[in-house]
Amino acid sequence: MSGAAADLEQRAQQARAAAEAAGQGHVLEHWASLADSEKETLLKDLEGLDYGYLSRVFSSSMAVSSAPTFDGIEPARDVLQLKDWEASDKAAEWTQHGYHLIAEGRAAVLLLAGGQGTRLGSSAPKGCYDIRLPSHKSLFQLQAERLLRMQQLAAAATNTAAADVKPLRWYVMTSAFTHDETVAHFEQHGFFGLTREQVIFFQQGFLPCFTEDGKLILEAPGRLAKAPDGNGGVYLALARSGLLDDMAAAGVEALDCYCVDNALARLGDPRFLGYCHGYCHGGGGEGGAGAGADVGARVVAKAYPEEKVGVFARRAAAASAAAADGSGSGSAGTPAGALCVLEYSELDPGRAAATDPATGQLYFNWSNICMHYFSVTWLRRVAAQLLAGGGTPYHVARKRIPSVAGPVAGVKLELFIFDTFPLAGERTALVEVDRREEFAPVKNAPGSASDSPDTARAALLTLHAGWVRAAGGAVTCAEGVEVSPLLSYGGEGLGPVVGGKSYEQPWADELQRPAA
């Protein structure tokens, strides 16, 4: 037996011992018939498994009722609304605090970019997608250039030399489906002007698929059936990759998190970072500096009752008790008043359309657009709880799973990023933003009436036209105009460029040049 073959068999013995101890010895029942390449694939699948963790997660998730309960659920009302923001005498202070966080390297940006553009007609990572702007910049490029501009703004706002501003770290979560192409896209474009060191890639994890009684399913004789663990897998992915330790070592205290398919995402927004980190505590209150939130979210008002978005809510004491004893759908140990998200499928039409007579707004009004804030200390606590297999049950999806014996009834487990929010208790912050300025999702195929490349492109060009008009220019083109993020992050600094000029086409050379 060659050295390589002996090594393979030794690894197989170790894998078999671990599997059998966990009651999963069947995963190696086809070992003798496998080619060496198939054996290697199977061992890679098995050697990364923590059987104790899988057993705890499976048991706790299956024990929780899949039927949502609305006992004690109230809509989230503790939202810092736009009108309150504009009237607050602390708004400038919050923003300045955010600029200091950025300039000092205490804030970073977290991007969820594991999805492919399948519904857009592309197999490439969604971040590589071109929504057909005049510049033909990909979503990744638009976002990278916003980061570059934000670094400049932070330097100016804090009177810091540009060379002394710490690069705004960008943690990019990919998946097995998108990782290599994403990295290649950045490399081909020179990281869009960012330094290679400030862009940190890591991969979302997978979980094996189970039978109803907790046995792992073999998709093929030499391969486990697996599925992505959901965007909530970001917590464990950050921990297992060592990046939570990396953040702590670098002095990062706060993360601004968003999804790649939002064409208007204002990543690294200083006012949101500053408000959540330094001044908000107790669900939107104006506490003193240092009383920061552990979890924050930018929210928008629902466009109409049937809009397919999740909404923020608060889980009161009765619902928390039900969740703790396993009779409800919440997380064990959920504190009273804990922040949660109700999916649109969980709201019946009557409840979704109900209005609050005190405000005239929808009763469940504040939409989740996956633009979040996290303190790094909280991320470390949550990751530790998840690794222990407690705190937050996973969602259970019962599906037909391809297997070596043909399709079988099986279970996929998935965690959503907001499932952990109840663990933040009252240290949360909800901040309303203007949908027209910050939310243009790219989810549906070109030509779709909503959330498509066409609607996102129109939203961006319309927004930029508004910037130009506000700065003293005129826009006669019905489509609007495109302003490079390198020139302006949020409409600032355009007066000297556009004042007294009229734009008849979406493209203008001077609107694509970096700020002086």
Side-chain angles (χ1 to χ4, degrees), residues 115-328:
Q116 295 170 289
T118 307
R119 281 194 284 175
L120 305 174
S122 169
S123 61
K126 194 176 285 188
C128 299
Y129 195 79
D130 170 11
I131 63 172
R132 309 302 293 176
L133 290 171
S135 65
H136 292 286
K137 292 176 180 177
S138 67
L139 292 171
F140 280 138
Q141 183 169 356
L142 291 172
Q143 294 160 17
E145 291 182 354
R146 287 175 193 147
L147 278 188
L148 283 167
R149 178 59 179 159
M150 180 47 59
Q151 290 177 175
Q152 294 175 338
L153 293 174
T158 59
N159 294 314
T160 306
D164 294 331
V165 170
K166 292 189 177 181
L168 185 52
R169 299 164 77 89
W170 197 11
Y171 294 92
V172 181
M173 187 175 79
T174 64
S175 68
F177 309 111
T178 65
H179 184 80
D180 290 344
E181 281 191 78
T182 296
V183 174
H185 187 74
F186 275 77
E187 290 176 341
Q188 290 164 6
H189 293 85
F191 285 75
F192 306 106
L194 298 166
T195 67
R196 181 181 294 264
E197 293 73 25
Q198 77 183 100
V199 184
I200 302 103
F201 300 101
F202 66 105
Q203 288 194 52
Q204 175 184 359
F206 283 82
L207 282 173
C209 300
F210 301 85
T211 62
E212 287 279 348
D213 58 357
K215 297 296 184 182
L216 302 183
I217 296 174
L218 283 173
E219 182 178 276
R223 186 171 65 251
L224 284 180
K226 298 178 292 184
D229 57 3
N231 61 10
V234 66
Y235 303 111
L236 289 183
L238 284 170
R240 288 170 170 159
S241 64
L243 290 179
L244 290 180
D245 292 334
D246 173 82
M247 292 174 192
V252 175
E253 301 172 14
L255 288 183
D256 184 21
C257 174
Y258 72 103
C259 283
V260 72
D261 59 7
N262 181 0
L264 292 183
R266 289 195 182 187
L267 50 161
D269 182 2
R271 65 177 187 173
F272 179 61
L273 282 166
Y275 175 70
C276 291
H277 179 272
Y279 298 94
C280 172
H281 182 205
E286 295 184 10
D294 281 331
V295 169
R298 287 181 253 188
V299 304
V300 297
K302 286 188 75 172
Y304 49 91
E306 301 80 16
E307 187 178 15
K308 293 185 177 181
V309 291
V311 290
F312 282 97
R314 290 279 175 187
R315 189 179 295 279
S320 301
D325 67 16
S327 62

Side-chain angles (χ1 to χ4, degrees), residues 131 133-135 137 142 145-146 263-266 436-438 456-475 477 479-492 494 498 503 505-507 511-512:
I131 63 172
L133 290 171
S135 65
K137 292 176 180 177
L142 291 172
E145 291 182 354
R146 287 175 193 147
L264 292 183
R266 289 195 182 187
R436 297 168 299 179
E437 295 181 355
E438 300 202 31
R457 179 177 63 254
L460 187 146
L461 295 178
T462 298
L463 174 64
H464 291 187
W467 293 354
V468 169
R469 293 186 181 109
V475 179
C477 175
E479 293 177 75
V481 293
E482 181 184 359
V483 176
S484 170
L486 297 174
L487 176 60
S488 184
Y489 175 89
E492 79 291 336
L494 292 178
V498 305
Y503 296 91
Q505 300 292 332
W507 173 274
L511 298 182
Q512 295 301 315

Side-chain angles (χ1 to χ4, degrees), residues 15 24 55 80 112-113 244 252 304 368 390 399 433 436 446 449 477:
Q24 302 284 0
S55 177
L80 180 67
L112 308 179
L244 290 180
V252 175
Y304 49 91
N368 172 34
K399 296 181 179 291
V433 296
R436 297 168 299 179
C477 175

Side-chain angles (χ1 to χ4, degrees), residues 417-483:
I417 196 167
F418 53 75
D419 287 333
T420 60
F421 288 5
L423 301 179
E426 295 184 351
R427 296 184 67 92
T428 58
L430 299 177
V431 180
E432 182 188 9
V433 296
D434 191 328
R435 178 191 295 260
R436 297 168 299 179
E437 295 181 355
E438 300 202 31
F439 186 51
V442 184
K443 296 183 180 296
N444 299 325
S448 299
S450 64
D451 299 348
S452 71
D454 311 282
T455 57
R457 179 177 63 254
L460 187 146
L461 295 178
T462 298
L463 174 64
H464 291 187
W467 293 354
V468 169
R469 293 186 181 109
V475 179
T476 59
C477 175
E479 293 177 75
V481 293
E482 181 184 359
V483 176

